[in-house]
Amino acid sequence: MAAAVTALATSVGLMAVAQAEAAPGCRVDYKVAGQWAGGFSANVSVTNLGDRVDGWRLVWTWPSGQQVTQAWNATVTSSGSQATASNVGYNAVIATGASVSFGFNGSWTGANTAPSSFALNGVTCDGGTTTTTTTTTTNPVPGNAMEQVAAMQPGWNLGNSLDATGSDETSWGNPRITEALLDNVKAQGFKSIRIPVTWGQHQGGAPGYTIEAAYLDRVKEVVGWALADGFHVMLNIHHDSWQWISAMPTDHAGVLARYNATWTQLAAAFRDASPKLVFESVNEPQFTGVDAARGDQLLHELNTSFRDIVRRSGGNNAARLLVLPTLHTSGDQARLDALATSITGYRDPNLVATIHNYGYWPFSVNVAGGTRFDATAQKDLTDTFDRAHATFVARGVPVVLGEYGLLGFDRHTGTIQQGEKLKFFEYLGHYARTKNITTMLWDNGQHFGRTSFQWSDPELIAQIKSSWTTRSGTASADQVFSARSSAVTAKTLTLNLNGTSFAGLSQGSTELARGADYTVSGDQLTLTASAMTRLSGSRAYGTNAVLHARFSQGVPWRINLITHDTPVLGNATGTTSSFRIPTGFRGDLLATMEAKYADGTNAGPHNWTSFKEFDRTFAPDYAGSATTLTSDFFAEVNDNARVTLTFHYWSGARVTYFVTRSGSTVTGTTG
């Protein structure tokens, strides 16, 4: 979004023949408070200079075909280019000399020219139009939710600290939060920080559910540090969602009383905090034993109560940005529609919708053969963001992607192959940007070191940061395999140019020669046989050379040249709690594993698919020359039934192996 927006102020004076239902004099002030690509926010004030008005309608014509998408303090309807704003129950009367105000969000294409005239109850307001220009400040005016959410991009989650469910913020393995951590996160370019907080273990009992003073003070301290650093801060109720809020279907009164007590205390504690502090009603809301429709109803109750409590508390809370989730923070259309209905009914311009996204599930955890960020995984992402944009953003309600990542990261970031992982994050950042969705990276300590202040995967964060502003070129793979048992041949990769152009190929500081070392034809990058021979050197198993393809923008794409032969497995015995297959990987890398019984049916967990979940049921141990099968895998394997395992490697090789479980004993054979 542009740093500056144009504010149009129109003052129209009326001197006209009096009519029975209209004031003989009025003034209309129309101001564009904020404008962004395809959208804007406007405030309108009508001042009565004549007789008392009891019930009003203000009519104007859009000169540039604009449309009102959301309104507050008035009911706004449209017919072609004509818009009509009518009073709501509480502001029907405009006394002499008094004013009434309303606001709206709108859409525009091509131009956003201010209306030149207005009519109040049928009487035209004739007068001059003046135009002024203002500059957006770092604290957008209340009511400009879209602009404030845009200023929150990009965001970062302080995960697994204050949201830990143990005795304190270190109970899930992260160190105590420091000012230095937040300073360093800020230095990484993040504009907002989501601070998840679990309150339940720090609360007293009914009826007050009093939050421990020391814990509340600690949260206030961390929030204060973040605000002092210039962050926009999102504060929420986090794992309480599954700890006690989920019991609402069977303990409706108790849960609602505790929820209300919690937010009443938080609203009071942060009443006068900076407008850059944002409240999120609840993280990933869920309710035990009910269907989604009933879940939507219960969430509506919580969101309504949350909004009412915060708004009534006054101070900066009267106009503070409030973030409301869908059920399960799902991006499914039915869940988005349910939240949209709630937001429309609240008639509150300072509301934000939030969802989470961890990718297409088979790809996100590497199960069911979901080893690649393919067309299916990409469509899952684009469909979700398209739905969120159409349901909310296009109608003037901003959207925050409160968490994003890959679910396989819960174990470690190696669950997903590196190149496929990078393609996912490159595309997510790009597509969210095109849909005006603010993104907040989930980081539970595995990405940015809480004391080292270093990224555990510099390649990943470089791709994420690049996606905030531009696109990067990628390729069909970041690995090129050559079998040592065969002659060296030319190798071809398909480039994903993503709107860039190919700029060159290098090995370290050495530029490779186009034509001699490689050729580019359209999106096909071919490494010549002579270059492959030279770069592979002695052809030891493993990575022999690392190349980088550069593009006209974004970050380079790393390409590993790998020498391999088909892996060799060995016979083994072990137990269901510890079973290791001796494996000579011979430079190859494990992609996935299938498991089937002799009759062809699927074996092991997730028996709807033959492809098992990477790391949770099997894992390579390259340093130990073994492939492990986990207790989770054997827990769902039939006793004394031989299972055929097919190991798929990134080179394209496949190797078959057989295991039989007998009680807690496991036998593995190659034939």
Side-chain angles (χ1 to χ4, degrees):
M1 296 189 181
V5 297
T6 300
L8 303 174
T10 304
S11 296
V12 183
L14 169 66
M15 293 299 295
V17 177
Q19 295 188 7
E21 60 178 344
C26 72
R27 183 176 68 250
V28 176
D29 295 317
Y30 173 92
K31 294 182 180 180
V32 173
Q35 182 171 303
W36 54 93
F40 69 103
S41 179
N43 297 316
V44 182
S45 176
V46 182
T47 301
N48 181 15
L49 303 178
D51 297 332
R52 166 190 165 110
V53 171
D54 193 353
W56 54 267
R57 296 170 65 253
L58 187 71
V59 178
W60 68 93
T61 299
W62 290 115
S64 305
Q66 299 98 318
Q67 292 291 317
V68 174
T69 56
Q70 180 193 30
W72 49 95
N73 298 330
T75 300
V76 180
T77 57
S78 297
S79 177
S81 62
Q82 180 176 293
T84 301
S86 303
N87 65 271
V88 289
Y90 55 80
N91 64 4
V93 174
I94 317 176
T96 301
S99 299
V100 64
S101 298
F102 64 93
F104 59 83
N105 290 326
S107 61
W108 62 279
T109 303
N112 188 20
T113 308
S116 59
S117 66
F118 296 83
L120 179 66
N121 287 356
V123 176
T124 301
C125 301
D126 295 322
T129 299
T130 60
T131 300
T132 61
T133 300
T134 61
T135 300
T136 305
T137 66
T138 55
N139 291 318
V141 295
N144 200 348
M146 193 72 74
E147 184 176 318
Q148 184 173 347
V149 170
M152 293 168 63
Q153 172 66 14
W156 179 83
N157 273 269
L158 182 58
N160 285 25
S161 286
L162 290 168
D163 56 315
T165 59
S167 58
D168 67 14
E169 67 193 79
T170 68
S171 62
W172 281 5
N174 278 321
R176 191 170 170 84
I177 301 162
T178 62
E179 283 186 90
L181 169 63
L182 303 189
D183 293 344
N184 278 274
V185 171
K186 182 70 175 179
Q188 295 300 313
F190 292 98
K191 299 299 194 313
S192 61
I193 181 169
R194 183 172 180 254
I195 303 179
V197 183
T198 301
W199 302 92
Q201 70 272 25
H202 300 284
Q203 278 185 298
Y209 300 104
T210 304
I211 299 171
E212 294 170 7
Y215 189 69
L216 182 56
D217 286 345
R218 174 57 175 162
V219 174
K220 291 170 70 174
E221 180 179 45
V222 175
V223 169
W225 289 340
L227 291 171
D229 261 336
F231 281 112
H232 295 264
V233 179
M234 187 188 300
L235 182 70
N236 73 357
I237 289 179
H238 204 75
H239 291 304
D240 306 81
S241 60
W242 56 264
Q243 284 189 314
W244 54 271
I245 292 174
S246 60
M248 193 173 177
T250 55
D251 184 20
H252 185 277
V255 168
L256 190 59
R258 186 174 181 181
Y259 180 83
N260 291 349
T262 303
W263 271 116
T264 297
Q265 293 172 78
L266 298 181
F270 294 99
R271 179 180 184 274
D272 298 317
S274 163
K276 283 190 170 183
L277 176 62
V278 175
F279 291 156
E280 178 186 17
S281 64
V282 60
N283 171 71
E284 298 184 351
Q286 54 195 277
F287 303 98
T288 303
V290 297
D291 61 17
R294 178 58 178 153
D296 288 333
Q297 294 170 355
L298 294 171
L299 178 57
H300 175 74
E301 283 192 70
L302 294 182
N303 282 337
T304 300
S305 195
F306 159 72
R307 177 191 166 277
D308 290 347
I309 289 168
V310 174
R311 291 288 181 251
R312 286 198 308 267
S313 65
N316 286 337
N317 290 343
R320 190 176 302 285
L321 212 61
L322 303 181
V323 179
L324 306 181
T326 59
L327 186 66
H328 303 292
T329 53
S330 166
D332 291 345
Q333 190 62 59
R335 308 287 72 75
L336 298 174
D337 289 342
L339 179 59
T341 299
S342 295
I343 289 177
T344 299
Y346 296 142
R347 297 185 178 276
D348 186 331
N350 292 329
L351 299 181
V352 180
T354 186
I355 60 172
H356 294 174
N357 188 272
Y358 284 94
Y360 179 57
W361 183 70
F363 171 72
S364 187
V365 300
N366 196 347
V367 73
T371 57
R372 294 185 180 274
F373 183 58
D374 58 12
T376 300
Q378 180 175 309
K379 186 175 186 299
D380 180 83
L381 188 153
T382 57
D383 284 354
T384 299
F385 289 2
D386 285 348
R387 290 192 297 265
H389 181 273
T391 306
F392 294 112
V393 180
R395 299 176 182 177
V397 179
V399 172
V400 169
L401 187 65
E403 295 180 17
Y404 74 93
L406 290 168
L407 291 174
F409 284 3
D410 282 348
R411 296 174 70 83
H412 55 74
T413 61
T415 301
I416 315 300
Q417 195 275 332
Q418 182 73 358
E420 303 304 314
K421 177 200 312 177
L422 295 177
K423 285 187 275 189
F424 168 80
F425 282 95
E426 190 280 332
Y427 195 82
L428 183 147
H430 150 71
Y431 205 73
R433 180 161 44 86
T434 67
K435 295 300 177 181
N436 295 320
I437 295 173
T438 288
T439 60
M440 307 188 85
L441 175 67
W442 177 255
D443 189 349
N444 61 13
Q446 65 191 178
H447 294 312
F448 190 65
R450 299 287 169 92
T451 55
S452 69
F453 310 138
Q454 299 294 317
W455 293 98
S456 58
D457 188 341
E459 197 171 44
L460 173 60
I461 190 58
Q463 193 67 268
I464 290 173
K465 286 184 176 182
S466 177
S467 75
W468 296 340
T469 57
T470 190
R471 293 218 66 180
S472 295
T474 64
S476 53
D478 63 347
Q479 305 171 128
V480 173
F481 288 90
S482 294
R484 193 164 75 175
S485 58
S486 304
V488 175
T489 61
K491 299 291 182 180
T492 299
L493 289 172
T494 298
L495 299 175
N496 304 315
L497 293 171
N498 297 332
T500 72
S501 57
F502 181 81
L505 187 66
S506 60
Q507 181 188 24
S509 59
T510 302
E511 189 73 14
L512 300 189
R514 187 164 184 165
D517 294 329
Y518 68 92
T519 62
V520 177
S521 176
D523 63 356
Q524 300 296 296
L525 169 64
T526 300
L527 297 168
T528 64
S530 60
M532 288 293 298
T533 299
R534 183 182 80 252
L535 294 169
S536 297
S538 64
R539 305 192 74 194
Y541 287 137
T543 299
N544 300 137
V546 178
L547 310 181
H548 283 92
R550 302 187 314 282
F551 301 87
S552 56
Q553 62 190 34
V555 298
W557 181 254
R558 176 179 49 80
I559 302 170
N560 287 347
L561 303 188
I562 302 171
T563 296
H564 79 104
D565 276 324
T566 301
V568 176
L569 309 186
N571 296 336
T573 57
T575 66
T576 54
S577 61
S578 179
F579 185 75
R580 294 169 61 85
I581 304 170
T583 307
F585 288 99
R586 303 209 292 175
D588 218 334
L589 300 167
L590 184 59
T592 188
M593 179 191 82
E594 287 186 90
K596 293 183 177 182
Y597 294 114
D599 63 2
T601 58
N602 300 325
H606 302 313
N607 62 10
W608 47 271
T609 175
S610 62
F611 289 92
K612 304 297 102 174
E613 185 174 347
F614 193 100
D615 196 60
R616 191 168 292 278
T617 58
F618 71 97
D621 177 2
Y622 297 112
S625 299
T627 304
T628 63
L629 299 182
T630 69
S631 58
D632 285 355
F633 173 74
F634 288 112
E636 299 189 43
V637 167
N638 296 337
D639 210 33
N640 295 314
R642 190 169 84 153
V643 177
T644 300
L645 305 178
T646 304
F647 292 101
H648 297 249
Y649 298 88
W650 281 104
S651 69
R654 298 183 183 184
V655 177
T656 300
Y657 193 78
F658 305 94
V659 293
T660 304
R661 170 196 169 187
S662 180
S664 62
T665 300
V666 179
T667 302
T669 64
T670 59

